Amino acid sequence: EDIWIQPGCSDTGISFGLALWGYFDAVRSPDSPQVSLSMSNAYTGRTYAAAAIDSLLAEVGIQHRTTTPHEVAELLAAGHVVAWFEGGSELGPRALGHRSILADARDPKMKDHLNSAVKFREGYRPYAPSILLEHAADWLELDRPSPFMLLLPRVRKDKQVLVPAITHIDGTTRPQTVSAEDNGNYYQLVKAFYALTGVPLILNTSF
């Protein structure tokens, strides 16, 4: 009836598991109040101050300026590939909109372009989408959130032709559902792309 998968469900999650073990084994006493654990996002890694980022970019001579989610959405809709970096890095194997390379999933040539010119990997390797949670069921055979990009539903048949860059050869995809509560600026980016294109998802791969 329900499923939740820990995003660091490999050796990468050992530190998380040790912290929980330490709490329940060494800190929590028998008369401690009951603890309810939840993990709605995986942005548990290191963050960087804006001033530190500006300083580094200036040091290596990269021109830069502050932008908005809407402006980035316009770049994606125009066919540009964008590197998106913000907040704490993700725990686990997936880029979830904090250390991501983003592109327009509507472009049938985008998968091949990313594999050959950006990621430098095998041509058959597929890509995954970040999709607005409130529109996920309309585009995917998915009846629950998938915040960590670990489930593999089918793209609805009438939508597959609209987003070929994230539709696998068998019609499935590996989505990240994105909510305003857990994803902040990244949610606003996908929402702005939806307003521009009518498609509530973007291609997302690791940066």
Side-chain angles (χ1 to χ4, degrees):
E1 292 181 357
D2 200 4
I3 186 171
W4 183 86
I5 304 169
Q6 159 62 240
C9 54
S10 66
D11 285 353
T12 61
I14 287 176
S15 57
F16 186 81
L18 287 174
L20 289 176
W21 177 86
Y23 172 76
F24 283 103
D25 187 69
V27 177
R28 186 176 182 272
S29 65
D31 57 349
S32 295
Q34 187 66 32
V35 174
S36 176
L37 295 171
S38 66
M39 185 177 179
S40 57
N41 70 65
Y43 308 127
T44 59
R46 183 175 176 180
T47 61
Y48 296 82
I53 296 172
D54 287 341
S55 176
L56 176 61
L57 292 174
E59 182 182 326
V60 296
I62 296 177
Q63 293 184 354
H64 61 284
R65 59 183 172 82
T66 301
T67 187
T68 66
H70 181 80
E71 191 173 9
V72 176
E74 289 180 330
L75 289 171
L76 292 172
H80 295 281
V81 176
V82 171
W84 180 272
F85 178 100
E86 70 160 331
S89 61
E90 301 91 336
L91 171 69
R94 309 294 179 216
L96 301 171
H98 277 204
R99 305 289 187 272
S100 291
I101 294 172
L102 310 175
D104 187 350
R106 301 174 301 165
D107 185 349
K109 297 180 180 178
M110 186 57 72
K111 180 175 81 77
D112 291 339
H113 170 64
L114 289 173
N115 278 335
S116 63
V118 179
K119 301 280 283 190
F120 304 107
R121 66 184 196 180
E122 300 89 349
Y124 64 82
R125 298 276 293 275
Y127 288 96
S130 294
I131 185 168
L132 298 175
L133 175 61
E134 60 268 31
H135 293 284
D138 298 329
W139 286 72
L140 311 172
E141 294 178 5
L142 183 69
D143 62 355
R144 66 197 66 229
S146 176
F148 306 130
M149 205 180 268
L150 295 173
L151 302 178
L152 198 71
R154 193 169 300 277
V155 181
R156 294 196 179 277
K157 283 192 175 181
D158 62 323
K159 306 296 188 189
Q160 292 181 15
V161 67
L162 301 177
V163 286
I166 58 88
T167 302
H168 302 175
I169 193 169
D170 63 355
T172 61
T173 196
R174 193 187 65 234
Q176 172 201 8
T177 54
V178 177
S179 69
E181 294 75 20
D182 296 323
N183 304 101
N185 284 333
Y186 191 54
Y187 174 87
Q188 296 303 325
L189 166 60
V190 183
K191 187 175 180 181
F193 185 83
Y194 176 49
L196 288 171
T197 66
V199 175
L201 63 87
I202 57 176
L203 184 154
N204 170 14
T205 188
S206 56
F207 180 15

